[in-house]
């Protein structure tokens, strides 16, 4: 009889609308969590007390957007969205390899059954990674210019695109070469459930 839901909005009227839908179904909403706060709670879980004393940048690498969220001393400091995501890579694979969207989605991370298309696949992924890193660095530059942050403890990647082979290494390289901001730790991929077992 109780339900937990996550919404992508801070607007009270939209939260109230969703809560009304839950109540109409005869349920009670016990937790209403906005996505940015869910991400904030994830980083707090992963980094513990360090989260409330440091600065963390989260790149939420979803299917449709790259969302940059910066937290300083445990509070949301900055957010920016760029319309690029895993669906762009899927479309590029489908177009360049001449396969359906569904087939492209299957091979996106597995790189299976490519045979003579392996070189084309690698070229497509490399092009996507270059564009993705460019968009990340643009959003990161806006963050740096809009805030007074002098250093960042860590950049944390989350979402489906975060596990794309080569992304973490390319981002590490770009951050070390293309910004004057000190980033104390290499970018990492969020694995909050692993942290729970420690």
């Amino acid at each position: 009889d109780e339900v937990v839901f996550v919404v992508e909005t801070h607007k009270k009227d939209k939260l109230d609308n969703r809560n009304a839908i839950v109540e109409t179904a005869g349920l009670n909403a016990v937790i209403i969590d906005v996505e940015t706060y869910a991400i904030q709670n994830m980083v707090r879980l992963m980094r513990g007390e360090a989260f409330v004393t440091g600065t963390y940048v989260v790149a939420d690498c979803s299917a449709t957007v790259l969302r940059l969220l910066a937290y300083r001393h445990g509070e949301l400091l900055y957010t920016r969205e760029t319309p690029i995501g895993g669906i762009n890579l899927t479309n590029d694979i489908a177009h360049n390899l001449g396969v359906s969207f569904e087939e492209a989605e299957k091979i996106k991370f597995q790189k299976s059954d490519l045979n003579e298309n392996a070189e084309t696949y690698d070229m497509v992924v490399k092009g996507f990674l270059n564009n993705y890193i460019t968009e990340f660095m643009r959003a990161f530059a806006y963050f740096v210019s809009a805030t007074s942050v002098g250093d960042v403890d860590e950049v944390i990647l989350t979402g489906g695109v975060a596990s794309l082979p080569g992304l973490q290494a390319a981002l590490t390289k770009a951050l070390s070469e293309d910004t004057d901001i000190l980033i104390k730790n290499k970018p990492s991929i969020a694995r909050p459930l692993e942290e729970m077992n420690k």
Side-chain angles (χ1 to χ4, degrees), residues 6-11 14-15 18 33-36 60 64-65 67 81:
V6 177
V7 294
E8 292 187 34
T9 182
H10 295 282
K11 295 182 179 177
K14 289 190 179 185
L15 291 172
R18 290 196 174 95
D33 204 352
V34 178
E35 189 174 21
T36 53
D60 183 18
T64 56
V65 297
R67 182 179 300 116
E81 285 188 8

Side-chain angles (χ1 to χ4, degrees), residues 58-69 80-85 131-137 139 157-158:
V58 177
D60 183 18
C61 310
S62 76
T64 56
V65 297
L66 167 62
R67 182 179 300 116
L68 202 69
L69 303 111
R80 183 176 182 87
E81 285 188 8
T82 304
I84 185 172
N131 290 339
Y132 204 81
I133 295 301
T134 298
E135 293 301 331
F136 174 91
M137 292 306 293
L157 307 173
T158 185

Side-chain angles (χ1 to χ4, degrees), residues 49-184:
E49 285 301 312
F51 179 63
V52 296
T53 60
T55 301
Y56 290 84
V57 173
V58 177
D60 183 18
C61 310
S62 76
T64 56
V65 297
L66 167 62
R67 182 179 300 116
L68 202 69
L69 303 111
Y71 297 93
R72 185 171 191 166
H73 305 302
E75 299 297 326
L76 183 64
L77 175 67
Y78 175 87
T79 175
R80 183 176 182 87
E81 285 188 8
T82 304
I84 185 172
I87 197 167
N88 299 94
L89 176 57
T90 304
N91 286 329
D92 290 348
I93 292 170
H95 175 74
N96 285 281
L97 270 60
V99 298
S100 70
F101 182 87
E102 291 75 20
E103 289 174 286
E105 189 67 27
K106 286 179 188 174
I107 65 173
K108 181 165 50 177
F109 291 102
Q110 297 170 357
K111 196 179 173 181
S112 59
D113 300 327
L114 289 174
N115 302 323
E116 71 277 356
N117 290 325
E119 190 174 317
T120 303
Y121 171 86
D122 290 340
M123 179 195 71
V124 169
V125 171
K126 183 178 180 183
F128 173 80
L129 283 175
N130 287 341
N131 290 339
Y132 204 81
I133 295 301
T134 298
E135 293 301 331
F136 174 91
M137 292 306 293
R138 183 175 290 132
F140 192 81
Y142 281 120
F143 156 65
V144 170
S145 65
T147 65
S148 59
V149 171
D151 58 36
V152 171
D153 289 272
E154 187 176 7
V155 173
I156 299 173
L157 307 173
T158 185
V161 178
S163 60
L164 183 67
L167 177 64
Q168 191 175 7
L171 184 58
T172 300
K173 184 174 188 281
L175 286 168
S176 67
E177 294 176 355
D178 299 336
T179 184
D180 294 331
I181 296 292
L182 170 66
I183 300 173
K184 298 176 184 176

